[in-house]
Amino acid sequence: QKEVEQDPGPLSVPEGAIVSLNCTYSNSAFQYFMWYRQYSRKGPELLMYTYSSGNKEDGRFTAQVDKSSKYISLFIRDSQPSDSATYLCAMSANTGGFKTIFGAGTRLFVKA
Amino acid sequence: KAGVTQTPRYLIKTRGQQVTLSCSPISGHRSVSWYQQTPGQGLQFLFEYFSETQRNKGNFPGRFSGRQFSNSRSEMNVSTLELGDSALYLCASSLEQSSSYEQYFGPGTRLTVT
């Protein structure tokens, strides 16, 4: 079983829809939870990070962490065609040195 | 502020050869991590360097190695290349080792092994 599970999709939605992206994890030591966006032929771009449980909002993006369920989510409101990309969740823990584990990434297509 | 830069951007090598990839972190960032990205395995952690010392290592064979210089620039080396080493190699920098939650990635080096 992988430490971080993420449905690779693809996920296709119409423009303006609310998108929900999710990851589950097994390691309770994870403390930081991140979301990255990766466009084709580019490196991942950090969208936001959250420490421990709770919600964090940044513009059209909201990240949620539920440590009791080992479940994290990223919501995108009013999705745009420019949001079409692969979204990667990532988590890190201090286990004698920080190591970041990434999910497989979910490919998102937003249709105009 | 300039982002993370990686050179070269594309590379084609033959099985058995070795390769060296270079990464320049964001100015002021002292931690550099390397990742391998493939369609089948996704993003996998190779190693992290901080203050010229390898602080953390992923589950890759010893053919994969790296180093960091006093100006925080980093190189990774892969010896005796195999076909399975074909991948996008990404470098990411963060301010400190403990701020790995805020990593900034370079564009990557696409390595093709024939």
Side-chain angles (χ1 to χ4, degrees):
Chain A
Q1 184 193 5
K2 291 185 177 181
E3 279 189 280
V4 179
E5 298 278 2
Q6 183 177 14
D7 187 339
L11 179 62
S12 184
V13 301
E15 183 176 358
I18 296 175
V19 176
S20 173
L21 304 166
N22 312 292
C23 289
T24 59
Y25 63 95
S26 56
N27 188 347
S28 58
F30 286 134
Q31 301 165 297
Y32 288 94
F33 304 88
M34 297 78 80
W35 286 95
Y36 287 83
R37 176 176 63 194
Q38 186 173 23
Y39 291 113
S40 181
R41 301 186 183 280
K42 302 279 189 182
E45 169 196 8
L46 178 66
L47 286 173
M48 54 203 307
Y49 66 86
T50 310
Y51 176 72
S52 195
S53 283
N55 294 359
K56 188 171 184 178
E57 190 173 318
D58 184 0
R60 296 184 295 113
F61 299 89
T62 299
Q64 286 185 353
V65 175
D66 182 348
K67 291 193 77 176
S68 62
S69 302
K70 296 189 176 67
Y71 188 87
I72 72 169
S73 302
L74 177 71
F75 297 96
I76 307 174
R77 290 183 299 281
D78 188 25
S79 56
Q80 302 295 311
S82 59
D83 294 328
S84 299
T86 296
Y87 289 80
L88 300 136
C89 64
M91 309 174 188
S92 70
N94 185 359
T95 53
F98 280 90
K99 189 185 294 189
T100 302
I101 307 296
F102 283 80
T106 300
R107 289 200 68 188
L108 172 66
F109 296 96
V110 181
K111 299 171 293 184
Chain B
K1 196 183 246 190
V4 178
T5 58
Q6 291 187 246
T7 56
R9 292 292 312 278
Y10 302 92
L11 209 48
I12 299 175
K13 289 285 188 180
T14 305
R15 266 185 308 176
Q17 287 186 314
Q18 75 163 13
V19 67
T20 299
L21 312 180
S22 181
C23 170
S24 291
I26 290 171
S27 177
H29 284 195
R30 300 200 293 158
S31 175
V32 174
S33 296
W34 287 90
Y35 295 86
Q36 181 195 67
Q37 188 174 36
T38 59
Q41 299 296 320
L43 251 173
Q44 292 188 284
F45 173 76
L46 280 157
F47 29 64
E48 179 201 7
Y49 285 87
F50 179 78
S51 291
E52 302 177 65
T53 303
Q54 188 180 93
R55 303 289 178 157
N56 223 334
K57 190 176 187 309
N59 298 324
F60 278 81
R63 299 185 297 107
F64 292 81
S65 63
R67 57 177 176 168
Q68 186 180 33
F69 302 96
S70 58
N71 61 359
S72 294
R73 191 177 70 84
S74 178
E75 287 181 348
M76 70 162 279
N77 184 76
V78 188
S79 62
T80 319
L81 284 166
E82 300 177 0
L83 293 178
D85 296 333
S86 294
L88 180 66
Y89 289 89
L90 292 157
C91 161
S93 76
S94 58
L95 207 54
E96 302 285 342
Q97 184 189 11
S98 58
S99 57
S100 61
Y101 51 85
E102 195 171 358
Q103 293 185 84
Y104 295 89
F105 283 83
T109 294
R110 185 161 298 280
L111 172 65
T112 302
V113 182
T114 62

